[in-house]
Amino acid sequence: MTTRTLLVLDAEPLPRLGRLTGRARIEHADESTLAERLPYADVLLVWDFTSRAVRAAWPGEGPRPRWVHTASAGVDHLMCPELAASDTVVTNARGVFDQPIAEYVAALVLTMAKDLPRTWELQRERTWRHRETQRVAGTRACIVGSGPIGRTIARTLKALDITTALVGRTPHTGIYGPDELDRLIARADWVIAAAPLTEQTHGMFDARRFGVMQPSARFINIGRGGLVVEDALAAALAKRWIAGAALDVFEHEPLTPDSPLWQAPGLIVSPHMSGDTVGWRDQLGSQFVELYERWEAGRPLLNVVDKKRGYVPGR
Amino acid sequence: MTTRTLLVLDAEPLPRLGRLTGRARIEHADESTLAERLPYADVLLVWDFTSRAVRAAWPGEGPRPRWVHTASAGVDHLMCPELAASDTVVTNARGVFDQPIAEYVAALVLTMAKDLPRTWELQRERTWRHRETQRVAGTRACIVGSGPIGRTIARTLKALDITTALVGRTPHTGIYGPDELDRLIARADWVIAAAPLTEQTHGMFDARRFGVMQPSARFINIGRGGLVVEDALAAALAKRWIAGAALDVFEHEPLTPDSPLWQAPGLIVSPHMSGDTVGWRDQLGSQFVELYERWEAGRPLLNVVDKKRGYVPGR
């Protein structure tokens, strides 16, 4: 068996690769050494999924990895025309984040319905102030993104007796197409962005779309920061076009201390952690090792990204 | 038809009684006038369910209302030996609070699992700090109190794939008896107090019981403040016997600004609002009017409290 070179782009140690010891030549790269090492690698594991170095370093021609795996659901940080046009296979971490993210969305929905951020504030002030809160049962959610994450969010919200509508790129049984989006978000109490970041979805939540939403609506983004025109969201909140929002992802991460988003009225800011439950790194590591073993044995890979579309198609 | 006197103990206006205009002589009392008016009333509606005035004002002998309705699930604030021994019927607001409270408990469980209080703090400080959070799916909840509120909590948590155990006064299909309580709370990730306040349940969550719980466990009380020995809970949190808690009800309400509970580590304090979703006063008013119409027509009342036990028995 030929020993292949596995190049890992990592900013911190990654677990569970021990099983590949002696079977793969494991090398590491950081953002500064990636371009130089990439031509000598058979496989690239993008463990540091916050890095955009792959786009910059990907060789236009000549030797290159035959397979790139990213330890993330989204692939927007690594896709570039040269990679899309090549015969290199790209896989992602489909499946690992579905349930954690769905629970996180349910946490945000319930937190906003029950006015818990205000409860915290009043607790700090040692103030007893009774308020009436909202029932979530019977409310409507529109979930934009019909992949495994969006579908798991829909299932979880349905379990709380919330009526859900899923919007995807292509209409399908139980999935609305993009033409229905405006009509659905205009009726939704909860609008949840769970789409991949592609040319079609970039900036889709803009001033016009926030204007279509109900004044009582809340917007949640656990997809990618680029789905949202952040200034337009901040303005919509300030003008009370919508009642509240929660962002777990941002156009530029980490959010810098001077960002006005930290203090936008009615906005909950969290640091891109919705899918990251205890043990997630182990799961990502194990998932890659399983894929590696398939690849080594010549079996077809799973979670293969449609590089033109920017996500893993199909159900 | 004899016009009956309906005495309302109220601190604020109550809705939906308009339908009784001309059919009942509606009088109002506050805490200072209750004792004097009580003997002349056929029915007492305890709309101000925060008041303990009924216990003090209830006539030991002589004329008294034949029916007392409280716009609350608990009856601990009005029960006294004289009322318990009398032939006066007591009814409560069974059913109105079940789903709102269950959603509130789910909100607290998810909020604690996803570390949202810390997220708020970091947002105030404009600090981006990624953390790993917990999955709730696969965790275990022990719900103490097997009435409609406890059962609805169990159903809601099960929908989030949480394993639930219900503990009631009497073992029953799907309900554990008090003998099993210590074993169950020792295994629970979430211990939820949803029992009525009675002689048997008063102070049941004491230092010994917090000592039995896991260091990773969280405790939630949406029942009555008297179920919990508050000092023991504060000590258990300070010593990290348990990982966190949320209290919506307290031994003395409102909680005064000097209470140490406001700043107990890992404790979420909310002002007795778990069941109070928009429209709750209307629902309570409508529920009473329906009961009044049954009573006026000589049909049996619903939600009749077992005055010895202190709650509405049966499923």
Side-chain angles (χ1 to χ4, degrees), chain A residues 143-154:
Chain A
I143 300 140
V144 183
S146 60
I149 293 173
R151 295 200 306 272
T152 309
I153 292 169

Side-chain angles (χ1 to χ4, degrees), chain A residues 99 103 111 114 117 120 123 126 130 132-133 135-137 255 257 259 262-263 267 269 276-278 280, chain B residues 99 103 111 114 117 120 123 126 128 130 132-133 135-137 255 257 259 262-263 267 269 276-278 280:
Chain A
Q99 190 169 30
E103 290 185 356
T111 282
K114 304 305 174 185
W120 282 205
Q123 181 174 354
R126 297 170 165 259
H130 180 276
E132 295 182 354
T133 64
R135 285 172 104 123
V136 301
L255 205 60
S259 168
W262 293 109
Q263 293 200 304
L267 179 65
V269 168
D276 306 343
T277 46
V278 172
W280 68 300
Chain B
Q99 191 170 28
E103 289 185 355
T111 282
K114 304 305 175 185
W120 282 205
Q123 182 174 352
R126 296 170 166 260
W128 180 278
H130 181 276
E132 294 182 354
T133 64
R135 286 172 103 121
V136 302
L255 204 60
S259 168
W262 293 109
Q263 293 201 305
L267 179 65
V269 168
D276 306 343
T277 46
V278 171
W280 67 298

